[in-house]
Each structure stands twice: as structure tokens, then as C-alpha cells.
Amino acid sequence: MARQDLNKVAVAKTEQKMETKQLHLFSIGKGLEEENKVVFKDPAFSCNKKLPFHRWVPWIAGFSSEFVRGALERYLSKKSLVLDPFAGVGTSLVEAALLGHDVTGFEINPYAALACRTKLASFEVDMNELRANVFKLRDFANGSDLTSYSPQSKPPTGFKTRGIFYSPTVLRKVLLLQDFLATIQNRVVQDLFRLAFASTMVSYSNYSYEPSLGQRKSAGKREVEDYPVVQAVLYRLHEMAEDIERLQAQYRLVVPKRHVFNESFFECNGKVPPGTVDLIVTSPPYLNNYHYNRNTRPHLYWLGYAQGPEDFRPLEEANFGKFWQTVREYKCIDLDFEISDREIKGQLKKLRKLNPEKGIYGGNGWANYAASYFNDCYRFTKCAKHVLKRGGRALVVIGNSILQGVMIPTDRYLAKIAETAGLELVAIHIPRATRVGNSIIQSAVRVAKAKNSHQLYEAVVELRKR
């Protein structure tokens, strides 16, 4: 059978699968005796993939809804204000809103903020409008004159990749979809369609996450010559509609207040009144140099949030802890706050002296990165103290790291920094004693290889405002 025929068969099978597939319905403790006691569920995001609302958007750095729900039920006994300073695609905020709490979130990535805001807008989606536009899209895609139709939309001009992102056949289908999205008048409904496209767009491209975004052929995968693009988007929209319909049937009277700010939590003054937050549930970027913004480049360009590389610079500057690439060439970046504990300064000094012969790839650049990260930890905990009520708590999910072969217990350091900022450390819980690291852990180029005795783990740092 010819390759072109094989491709048509693959597309047909994918279409049939989408049509027939069933939709899924809706510690280091206070004392030595509690040293290994775990009070939280595993915060890993993977178990969200089939759950209402959380299944809408695949996200590399989220945490589980079960973890969040457990935390909310443990610490809140009445309607409260829940804050996530690093909201991502909204796991914490969605779970809190589903339990009837008011929510506020901050997220610098425009795509993630769109996902978070769109999920939370589900309370007021006009289901008649949503269904009507779903039917219109289906009719539009099945139109007999589409073969001669010339798409009006164009690919984003600033979006450049090493390989072809979409095959010509897939690209035409994507552009046809963009033409349709532009006709939707209802903004909330249009955002649902935009999110349905954005959350599926990589799956029919010649790129994939491994876990960073790269060419499929580099991972030994076949390129995508054709794909039922509209069917994929419609399938996602059916999931969305099902989740929204169930939600609206449950919340007919009281709808929680929801605010999502597409900016840094460090700009919280004037947006969150001081002393109003009952509980913070969040997970800042880890000290692992994972480039969240670069890995959403396709989404940011195709959604119109970026026109060129210059639009990514503000995101890199606003990112928590910066990135190694942005600070490695500085002579010395040190802590910009006073802390009595000597361990953090000692580790930075040790790291800075390693591998000077490697230049910017040596220890000094990584010490600059770690210092920038801890400086932002201090700013974060100061802001958290500002917005928390007296007695309010912050649950911060964070993982340790290994830089140049040096183990950095980020959880303990965050706790020490939080105490310097005026918060009380309640406990450090270890719900996940082993996790998988990314490429910087074992890279022979950028870091010394990690010792076998070093183990990556994930912790929940529990803080309280006195």
C-alpha cells in the first residue's frame, strides 16, 4: 500500500476513534515522632488527565486535584478566599471554586492564564451559544465547498521552528479552523474554542514533548502528514461542554468570586487586599531551569500573544527565579536580603567555586541562578505574609534540586527564607520521596553528574502567618 494511502487509513482510524470513544464523566513534621508522617496525597499532575476541567489542558508542571482538594478540606471549614500565586492552568483555583470558595490567581504565561480564566468562566457559559457554535463548526468542516475554499487566516509570521511545524495538509486545516474561530461573537465561548485548539495543537504537529518541546523525528516518531484537526477540537469541546453542563446544574444560586491576573504575584499590591487570604495552595517553578514559556511558544504565537522573540523577554524577566541562561554571564549575583542562617550562603559559595574552567557553564553561573531563585523566594514569602490573614496558611509544593553535582534542599531553604520574611514554619511534609528530574540533573555539559546518593524528592512546605 502506498504511503499516502496508509496515511489516509491512519486518519480515518483516528476519526473513528474520536467518534466512538466514551467520554469520562464527571514528612518532616512538628516533632521527631512525626518525621516521616505523610498527611498529603501525592501532588503529581498525571492523575488529572481524566478528571472534569483538569483534562482540558495537558500541563507539564501542574499538581493533582486530589492533593488540592485534600488540602482544602483539611484546612478550610467555611467559605474562604484561596490564592494561587503561580496558578498555571488552574488546578488549585478550579478545585477551590468547585468547593464554593472565592479564588484569586496570578500567572505570567498568557496561555496558562487563558486556560485558568476559561475554566473558571464555566459558571456563566451560555450553553445554548456553545452548542450552537459546536454545530456550526461541524457544518463548516463538512461543507462541500471547502476543497476550493482559500483560508483567510495566515500562520503567525514570527513563529520559527527548525523543522516544519505543521505539514501542508494539516496547516490548511488549522487555518480553516482559525477562520471559523474569528466568526464567534461570544467572547467566553470563543475562549473555549481557542483553548480547545491550543490544548490539542501540538498533537497534530511535527513536534512533541519529551518532556521539552522538540521534533517528533528526533524522538524516533513519525511526522504527522495528515490529521482530523476539526474532529480533535470537537472532541475536546464535547469534554468541555459535558463538564460545564454538570457544573452549572450543581451551582444554580451561589457562584464564587473568581479573579485571574495575567501578571506576576509580586505585583499583588492593589489587587489583593492585605490580610484577606485564608489559604495559599501553590507550587512555584522549581530550581531546575525548565523553560515553561519556551515550551509554550507554539501556543503563544498561534493565540496571538507573541509576534516575535522580543515578546518572550518580559516573560523571562518576570519568571520566578529567572533562568540560568539570563544570569550566567554576571560576575556575581548574591542574596539581596539578610538571613542569619549560614547554610544557604555556604552552599552558594561552594557552588560558585566549582568548575571555573567551564566559563559560563561552570559553577559561578549556576550560583547566580540559585541566588536569583532564593531572592525571589524571599519576595514571594514577603508578599504571602502581606496578603494572608492572621492564622492563614500557605502550602508550597516544591522539589529539591541538584546543580553541578551539589544537592540543594530547596524546601528547607524556602522554609528558612520564609522565617526571615516573618512567617512561621509549621512543618515540611514529604508526600513524594522520589521524583524524576530533567536534563540539567545528569547533563555532562552544564553540570557535574549527580552522585548516586543524591535523590530528588517533592515536599510541601507548610507556613503560617502569626
Side-chain angles (χ1 to χ4, degrees), residues 1 25 77 128 138 180 190 249 277 281 292 301 319 367 409:
M1 187 179 291
L25 297 177
S77 58
N128 291 328
R138 185 177 297 156
F180 178 82
Q190 186 186 57
V277 174
V281 184
Y292 301 98
Y301 275 107
N319 194 78

Side-chain angles (χ1 to χ4, degrees), residues 276-294:
T276 59
V277 174
D278 297 279
L279 180 66
I280 294 173
V281 184
T282 196
S283 182
Y286 291 1
L287 184 64
N288 62 7
N289 204 46
Y290 186 82
H291 222 304
Y292 301 98
N293 296 317
R294 288 185 184 177

